[in-house]
Amino acid sequence: MTLRLALALTLLATPVSAESIRVATFNASMNRDAAGALAEALATDDPQIAAVVEVIETVNPDILLINEFDYDPAAAALFSETHLNGAYPHMFIAPSNTGIASGIDLNGDGEIGAESFAYANDAFGFGMFEGQYGMLVLSRFPIDEAATRTFQTFLWDDMPGALLPMTEDATSFYSPEALAIFRLSSKSHWDVPIQTPQGTLHLLASHPTPPVFDGAEDRNGTRNADEIRFWSEYVQGADWIYDDNGTVGGLTEGAHFIIAGDLNADPFDGDSTDNPTGRLLNLPLLNISHTPSSEGGTEAADQGGANDTHQGNPAFDTADFGDDPENFGPGNLRVDYVLPSATLEIVNAGVHWPPSDDLDAAAANAASDHRLVWVDIVLP
């Protein structure tokens, strides 16, 4: 290792100042094919999990949202205490809509799926078992669990102006029976208040459904857009929002927050509907003075294919997807976000996407098709 590279790695793993707090999101692809399989993998020398750990330890965030961590509190504790050596003494994990049977034909194929992908397509969120593709929050600082809010059961039809999917003859794709139970969130939406040394920071965590794998009705694209819009409305204090405990209303005015997660939408490229992240980034309540970037994202755009037609800056990409548009390959996209409120100062930001000649590139590539995104912030 050269002195220059060693210095760069040291700077990456060290917050900019003693006062700054590093907040990160990482779709770590820690989902498995069956309930309990993640816990089994964590009990072995699983190379993918080892790569995830290496990425986390290299970037060294103070607060971390992990997307695609199957819902299993025992597995979460094992991962935190054993694989991450207790570096994060506080965590939050809660149920996900994925794999929860709706009992209704939600994908419009005329059947209520009973197993495998058919079952997953008729669940409240795509999943072959309850909690697949869930979420996990890890923190060095205490979490105010009594004040934590989850919005797992909020109904899509209760969102004013919802982009509910329509058929070609302009009728609702979903039946009245489906709309009466259809949940907005494909996983869940969480407001996790974290008690940092500088004050309370609300981590607003979610993982909207990909806006693809549907038909002309665009049921996934419209749901993705409204899952993202939920946070725009929440931070503006919308009075129609209710949480899983029945408490009504959005975030308190002036609260410090960060919207984080794999939002599955790029503001310039890809297949999102109604450009939900572009709209989110224009929200005055956000501080977007620093866009996380990487050298590796720029280098990876040379893979060609769909990347050659992209309009966005490849340095801002956060996921290395397939590049062949004939095989549903959208190319590399910016889909993972850590978006601080305008009340917070940003002192540094980045995407952990090392260039191919970097010693950290192998672990980043082996961990996930997504890259960890981080922001260093200071509370006033």
Side-chain angles (χ1 to χ4, degrees):
M1 181 184 296
T2 66
L3 178 61
R4 180 178 179 183
L5 179 56
L7 177 60
L9 293 177
T10 300
L11 290 174
L12 177 62
T14 305
V16 171
S17 74
E19 297 180 349
S20 67
I21 295 169
R22 179 162 292 179
V23 183
T25 190
F26 188 21
N27 182 330
S29 298
M30 293 183 70
N31 58 286
R32 295 299 186 265
D33 292 336
L38 176 58
E40 293 175 1
L42 286 164
T44 68
D45 295 325
D46 186 290
Q48 187 262 335
I49 292 175
V52 168
V53 170
E54 183 173 339
V55 168
I56 294 171
E57 291 180 340
T58 298
V59 180
N60 193 28
D62 297 303
I63 299 168
L64 172 64
L65 167 64
I66 299 180
N67 288 133
E68 296 198 2
F69 191 105
D70 294 341
Y71 175 65
D72 184 338
L78 178 63
F79 179 63
S80 178
E81 295 166 8
T82 302
H83 292 266
L84 295 175
N85 299 311
Y88 299 94
H90 309 282
M91 73 176 189
F92 181 80
I93 189 169
S96 170
N97 282 327
T98 47
I100 296 180
S102 69
I104 290 180
D105 173 23
L106 292 182
N107 69 340
D109 66 355
E111 298 180 356
I112 300 175
E115 59 184 3
S116 190
F117 282 94
Y119 173 88
N121 277 317
D122 286 330
F124 283 122
F126 184 89
M128 290 179 282
F129 60 89
E130 185 172 345
Q132 190 180 26
Y133 310 110
M135 303 190 294
L136 171 66
V137 173
L138 300 173
S139 175
R140 300 190 194 281
F141 312 119
I143 293 172
D144 186 353
E145 292 205 26
T148 296
R149 303 180 70 188
T150 63
F151 304 89
Q152 181 189 7
T153 60
F154 179 86
L155 297 181
W156 191 0
D157 197 33
D158 286 341
M159 170 180 271
L163 292 177
L164 296 169
M166 307 294 286
T167 65
E168 293 181 355
D169 60 1
T171 60
S172 175
F173 178 79
Y174 292 120
S175 67
E177 293 77 15
L179 291 177
I181 64 169
F182 200 111
R183 302 173 181 183
L184 170 66
S185 182
S186 55
K187 284 83 177 176
S188 190
H189 284 66
W190 297 345
D191 175 353
V192 183
I194 298 174
Q195 299 170 325
T196 79
Q198 301 171 23
T200 300
L201 176 66
H202 292 260
L203 184 69
L204 307 182
S206 64
H207 183 192
T209 190
V212 289
F213 311 120
D214 51 17
E217 83 291 337
D218 196 26
R219 67 184 187 278
N220 290 333
T222 53
R223 188 182 192 183
N224 170 273
D226 278 347
E227 286 194 74
I228 294 170
R229 181 165 71 90
F230 179 90
W231 287 134
S232 295
E233 303 284 352
Y234 183 72
V235 300
Q236 296 180 79
D239 60 6
W240 46 264
I241 291 175
Y242 54 85
D243 63 28
D244 293 329
N245 289 324
T247 303
V248 175
L251 192 63
T252 302
E253 183 177 359
H256 307 302
F257 66 84
I258 287 183
I259 298 172
D262 173 6
L263 301 187
N264 270 315
D266 184 296
F268 296 101
D269 305 302
D271 298 303
S272 63
T273 297
D274 204 32
N275 194 14
T277 50
R279 292 171 179 269
L280 181 64
L281 291 168
N282 283 323
L283 191 67
L285 290 176
L286 291 179
N287 178 354
I288 58 168
S289 59
H290 292 62
T291 301
S293 63
S294 73
E295 292 182 26
T298 299
E299 179 188 58
D302 291 338
Q303 294 164 346
N307 296 297
D308 291 341
T309 64
H310 283 184
Q311 302 300 308
N313 186 340
F316 302 157
D317 287 344
T318 67
D320 190 359
F321 295 137
D323 308 304
D324 182 2
E326 298 298 322
N327 290 307
F328 305 101
N332 305 338
L333 299 173
R334 181 188 181 191
V335 293
D336 306 271
Y337 299 83
V338 183
L339 301 174
S341 60
T343 62
L344 302 171
E345 176 188 357
I346 301 176
V347 292
N348 203 2
V351 178
H352 183 64
W353 195 330
S356 58
D357 60 354
D358 192 300
L359 293 179
D360 287 328
N365 293 334
S368 174
D369 53 355
H370 292 253
R371 301 298 182 264
L372 186 151
V373 181
W374 56 272
V375 173
D376 291 335
I377 54 97
V378 175
L379 281 72

